[in-house]
């Protein structure tokens, strides 16, 4: 990603409906496995959910900020 961002060539990415479903499924699988891993560490479901929400939100925000630069 860093190398492609240094290139001046701009490419547009168009996803069809199948691409959106594949992307959504892959994100869901990643979240599912992370949730199971956090559950093994701690059995308090509310605490695990809050930590997962906060960390996901922070990384999403940082990704959007860094991606804008």
């Amino acid at each position: 990603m860093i190398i492609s961002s240094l290139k001046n060539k701009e490419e547009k990415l168009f996803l069809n409906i199948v691409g959106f479903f594949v992307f959504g499924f892959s994100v869901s699988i990643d979240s599912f496995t992370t949730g199971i891993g956090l559950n093994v560490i701690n059995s308090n479901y509310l605490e695990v959910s809050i930590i997962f929400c906060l960390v996901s939100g922070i990384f999403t925000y940082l990704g959007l900020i860094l991606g804008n630069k």
Side-chain angles (χ1 to χ4, degrees), residues 1 24 36 39 43 45 50 53 55 63:
M1 286 190 312
I36 289 175
N39 188 27
S43 63
Y45 298 112
I50 290 171
C53 259
V55 172

Side-chain angles (χ1 to χ4, degrees), residues 4-67:
S4 65
S5 70
L6 295 176
K7 295 179 182 177
N8 291 334
K9 189 169 116 178
E10 185 175 323
E11 295 180 18
K12 292 186 179 186
L13 177 64
F14 294 104
L15 290 177
N16 57 8
I17 192 74
V18 175
F20 281 118
F21 278 113
V22 169
F23 179 71
F25 183 72
S26 64
V27 171
S28 297
I29 292 294
D30 180 47
S31 298
F32 179 70
T33 56
T34 303
I36 289 175
L38 287 174
N39 188 27
V40 169
I41 294 170
N42 189 354
S43 63
N44 186 354
Y45 298 112
L46 184 61
E47 183 180 334
V48 169
S49 298
I50 290 171
I51 290 171
F52 187 73
C53 259
L54 288 174
V55 172
S56 296
I58 289 169
F59 277 112
T60 301
Y61 179 74
L62 290 174
L64 290 171
I65 296 297
L66 290 174

